[in-house]
């Protein structure tokens, strides 16, 4: 499984000094879209979707949940659960936008207790995108520079009710909106669709466990060095670091993506 988790300040010298070693890229898209700035490649990264905390010294890129404030002075990526419903938030969605099987039962991602969203028609995709794009607007207002829409691969857990084409069509709506807000947008996992990133409008990749499962090269083939790697085991981190430690952003976190001081907290780099 590529998705183990679905779910202030750093001193100026600690931020700016390492930043000299990396570059950011600015993409200018079609006239309907504003220019977006990609995360710096091969930057020190921290994954904080389990809770925001002061980034370790030298970190330049941070991902946080959309409900959190961005980290001051850094490149911030806003995590959005875009294809499934967070536990406890089912009542915030129109009932017909939740995917149901032939018996009328909700289709659930059993690992995380999250109902899948129903992407099967253009009307439903547009209605779902309207809600999620509101979250994206909130990320832009807070000062985030990019969006990480999670669960692109939810169609693989849909009991064959959803297709990759429907997932791509929906994510294209989000990408177009993100770009209109000058936000970059990343592909989260779903390596099998990485080769189609251009048609969807995806700018960089966030790959969980690509070292563990020997998939990092496939992301690099599609996104170049614009790949952020998150591993959850020492083996996965060592593999990713041995192959791409000089070119990609790589971090190992604990499965719960906990905060410093918690018993299970882990953060290691190359």
């Amino acid at each position: 499984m590529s998705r183990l988790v679905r779910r202030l300040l750093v001193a100026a010298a600690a931020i700016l000094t390492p930043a000299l070693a990396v570059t950011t890229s600015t993409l200018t898209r079609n006239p309907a879209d504003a220019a977006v700035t990609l995360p710096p490649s091969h930057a020190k990264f921290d994954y904080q979707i389990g809770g925001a905390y002061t980034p370790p010294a030298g970190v330049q890129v941070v991902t946080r949940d959309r409900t959190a404030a961005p980290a001051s002075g850094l490149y911030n990526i806003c995590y959005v659960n875009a294809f499934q419903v967070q536990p406890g938030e089912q009542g915030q969605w129109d009932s017909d936008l939740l995917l149901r099987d032939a018996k009328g039962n909700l289709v659930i991602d059993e690992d995380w207790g999250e109902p899948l969203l129903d992407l099967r028609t253009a009307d439903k995709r547009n209605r779902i995108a309207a809600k999620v794009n509101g979250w994206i607007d909130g990320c832009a207002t807070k000062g985030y520079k990019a969006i990480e829409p999670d669960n692109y691969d939810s169609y693989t857990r849909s009991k064959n009710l959803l297709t990759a084409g429907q997932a791509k069509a929906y994510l294209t709506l989000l990408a177009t909106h993100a770009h209109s807000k000058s936000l970059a947008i990343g592909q989260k996992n779903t390596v099998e669709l990485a080769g189609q990133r251009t048609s969807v409008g995806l700018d960089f990749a966030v790959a969980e466990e690509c070292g563990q499962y020997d998939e990092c090269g496939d992301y690099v083939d599609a996104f170049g060095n614009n790949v952020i790697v998150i591993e959850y085991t020492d083996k996965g981190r060592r593999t990713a670091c041995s192959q791409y430690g000089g070119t990609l952003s790589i971090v190992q976190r604990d499965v719960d993506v906990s905060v410093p001081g918690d018993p299970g907290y882990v953060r290691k780099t190359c």
Side-chain angles (χ1 to χ4, degrees):
M1 175 173 63
S2 293
R3 180 185 179 267
L4 281 177
V5 185
R6 321 246 184 165
R7 299 354 114 234
L8 74 205
L9 303 174
V10 174
I15 298 170
L16 296 176
T17 301
L20 298 176
V22 298
T23 59
T24 56
S25 301
T26 300
L27 299 180
T28 302
R29 300 189 171 275
N30 64 55
D33 294 332
V36 302
T37 301
L38 298 184
S41 60
H42 191 218
K44 292 185 178 181
F45 172 74
D46 200 15
Y47 204 45
Q48 298 189 3
I49 65 171
Y53 54 87
T54 302
V59 165
Q60 299 153 270
V61 181
V62 171
T63 295
R64 289 180 171 176
D65 186 80
R66 66 180 178 85
T67 60
S72 179
L74 306 185
Y75 186 103
N76 287 269
I77 302 171
C78 191
Y79 171 94
V80 174
N81 193 354
F83 289 77
Q84 300 180 180
V85 179
Q86 293 283 110
E89 295 184 359
Q90 182 177 324
Q92 299 177 20
W93 290 89
D94 291 341
S95 178
D96 69 313
L97 296 182
L98 304 178
L99 185 66
R100 298 178 186 273
D101 62 21
K103 296 181 179 180
N105 297 319
L106 290 174
V107 179
I108 305 290
D109 178 347
E110 299 294 344
D111 288 326
W112 306 104
E114 297 177 356
L116 275 62
L117 293 167
D118 189 348
L119 309 176
R120 289 177 292 183
T121 69
D123 175 69
K124 289 185 177 182
R125 291 193 293 270
N126 285 327
R127 289 166 60 200
I128 294 168
K131 185 177 183 71
V132 175
N133 283 339
W135 298 344
I136 290 174
D137 291 346
C139 294
T141 298
K142 288 181 176 181
Y144 284 92
K145 296 297 183 184
I147 302 296
E148 178 192 319
D150 203 2
N151 291 311
Y152 189 19
D153 61 350
S154 63
Y155 69 92
T156 66
R157 300 182 289 277
S158 70
K159 300 182 179 180
N160 296 317
L161 294 173
L162 301 177
T163 68
Q166 292 162 353
K168 290 188 293 181
Y170 165 62
L171 189 53
T172 300
L173 297 175
L174 303 186
T176 300
H177 187 77
H179 292 153
S180 75
K181 299 296 180 179
S182 299
L183 296 171
I185 185 167
Q187 173 170 325
K188 177 68 172 292
N189 300 325
T190 325
V191 68
E192 61 271 21
L193 299 183
Q196 301 175 54
R197 49 83 53 123
T198 301
S199 63
V200 178
L202 302 171
D203 304 309
F204 64 98
V206 178
E208 289 179 303
E209 300 195 284
C210 69
Q212 183 75 18
Y213 295 106
D214 194 26
E215 296 173 340
C216 297
D218 295 323
Y219 288 105
V220 170
D221 287 345
F223 291 91
N225 291 342
N226 295 312
V227 179
I228 295 171
V229 178
I230 304 153
E231 298 291 337
Y232 296 102
T233 66
D234 288 329
K235 177 184 176 183
R237 172 181 51 82
R238 287 194 295 265
T239 300
C241 289
S242 67
Q243 297 175 351
Y244 297 101
T247 54
L248 304 184
S249 299
I250 300 172
V251 71
Q252 179 184 343
R253 288 299 328 268
D254 56 283
V255 172
D256 292 328
V257 198
S258 57
V259 302
D262 286 353
Y265 173 79
V266 173
R267 182 182 182 274
K268 301 177 183 178
T269 60
C270 298

